[in-house]
Amino acid sequence: MKNLRNRYCIVGVGNTAYGKNPGVSQVAHNILAIRSALEDAGLEAKQLDGILTKAPTSTFPMLWGPKIAEALRVQPKVTGTIDQAGASNIGLIQYAVSAIELGQAEYIAISYGDNPRTGTRASYARPRGEDALAGLFGAPSSYAMVAKRHMYEYGTTPEQLANVAIAHRTHASMNPGAQFQELFTLEDYLASRWVAEPFRLLDCCPVSDGGAAYIITTEENAKELNKEPIYIEGIGQGHPSWDFFRRPELATSGAAIAGKMAFDSAQMTTDDVDFCEIYDCFTIVPLISLEEYGFVKKGEGGSFYEEKRTHLGGELPCNTSGGLLSETGMPGTQLVVEAVRQLRGECENRQVEGAQVGLVSQQGGIMTTHATMLLSNIGAN
Amino acid sequence: MQIKENFNAFEDLVPPITELNKSYRENLAGGRLVLQACMLCNKNQYPFESFCYECGSTDLTEVSSTGEGSVYSFVKVHQPYHPAFKPFIPYFVSTVQLDDGPRMLAAMFESDDILEIGDRVAARIEKISETEAMLLFEKIR
């Protein structure tokens, strides 16, 4: 594994308001986020020579990168969209690092923006499996089948799933930008309506409008900009692929392979990690992710959450902004933004004290794709 | 075979007939669950393709499935995502490991509302129009 350390940086992050943004188009969500990231870095749009995009989930248009470039009045040397669903939030960073390494571009913006809440959300309820006659519609039912199998194999309980949702909501209550800041109890969770059993409403992330973006460049360039550089120390990918119900093992994910690759390229171990931002579209996902990364043994993810060890002030704070479950339902781009802000020390009352290394975990489909990134503020000095 | 009450509404959800799925759907309409069998590696597969997922061979034939298997995982759906399923809510969707081949995904309408991983199940084929049927599973009692 090639060592990535101290060479590439995230120098600007930005986001739009989250929730309902009527009248803000998909393009506008991307542009507002990129312009906010440019301002954060102290860069101008004309300095961008790379524009990489994650396609909006609700419509999945072709040639989306060039369309975003047009709306910035930029003709980039490098552009495109990588289809790994949620994992592409990191897959695109890997592509950016590769393009910069090859000398093809210097300042690359990566963005995601969509308006499924006030625009079209039909794709969120589409049938899964071979045809609609199986009765499986939407993402909650498919992830619930993963959760059911995990409960069967490891004895994971509804109370443990509840504690994932409660931890993330507790953090969101300290985040003025979060969509859901009101605390709830285990009793509230148990009383929330069934969506697809074993999932209740509070196991599921919302469908949200929003945009987020980040800017990647070299360490050399980073030192000339506004903010403290945040180093991309390690990246890994691992994709279980296949239709989820045909996968030999359903209660797993690509985190074991992606995580090892990221830790190897960063020359780090789980002991080096101060906090995690983990893709949490449904409560079962971060629980399985922590197991697969090796933070806990297989089957012990549930008790780790139940013992509140992922809360701020605990041994491994996770999803410090509230994650997909409570900050916003955007598919993962916000997790990179939060990790960067944590490492800069910008998170006020939800700040992880002394944070030096953060792990970002992204996955997509139904545990179909997975990517992991290690970020730090340490640098070469 | 008669079309039972509420089953005609599923006609809306029938996938378009293609060269690949034609035989499967016609057999299902006739009350038979068929799979594709590879002549080279002997693995059975579904959905139908022009090649074997296991070994890549293009030498394929059709076999009848016993339709029996075990529940690998399942969910209980409480949301009316499509009106056709509304009369059956809450209903189960199961991933079934067939004894003679692939995993299949299908709905289960169980009157006692009880299902466990590992339960033995059998294919239940219900007519939904003159020319179409849907695959369900039911517990073997």
Side-chain angles (χ1 to χ4, degrees), chain A residues 128-130 132-137 141 144-145 148-149 152 193-197 245-250, chain B residues 10 13-15 25 46-47 72-79 81-82 85 91 93 95 103 105-107 117 134:
Chain A
R128 312 288 168 131
E130 260 69 60
L133 287 167
L136 199 74
F137 299 86
S141 310
M145 208 172 282
K148 184 75 194 176
R149 185 72 198 180
Y152 172 78
R193 69 175 165 83
W194 290 118
V195 174
E197 212 173 319
F245 61 94
R246 272 193 289 268
R247 248 174 252 152
E249 298 293 333
L250 195 51
Chain B
F10 289 109
L13 298 177
V14 171
R25 295 226 62 90
Y46 180 84
Y72 177 76
S73 194
F74 70 93
V75 291
K76 192 169 170 183
V77 179
H78 292 254
Q79 290 272 89
Y81 288 99
H82 188 278
F85 282 95
Y91 64 93
V93 180
T95 295
R103 287 203 196 140
L105 195 65
I117 288 178
M134 74 187 280

Side-chain angles (χ1 to χ4, degrees), chain A residues 158 161-162 165 184-192 198 200 202-203 283:
Chain A
L161 294 180
F184 61 81
T185 63
L186 177 60
E187 290 66 37
D188 296 332
Y189 167 90
L190 292 170
S192 79
R200 296 169 167 88
L202 290 170
D203 287 293
T283 48

Side-chain angles (χ1 to χ4, degrees), chain A residues 286-307:
Chain A
L287 191 157
I288 291 178
S289 302
L290 284 184
E291 293 175 353
E292 299 282 320
Y293 284 130
F295 287 104
V296 296
K297 291 197 187 107
K298 197 68 201 163
E300 293 180 2
S303 52
F304 197 75
Y305 275 96
E306 201 164 25
E307 291 158 12

Side-chain angles (χ1 to χ4, degrees), chain B residues 120-135:
Chain B
R120 294 289 299 162
V121 295
R124 166 186 167 194
I125 297 167
E126 287 290 346
K127 213 167 163 58
I128 56 179
S129 75
E130 283 314 308
T131 54
E132 281 290 346
M134 74 187 280
L135 173 69

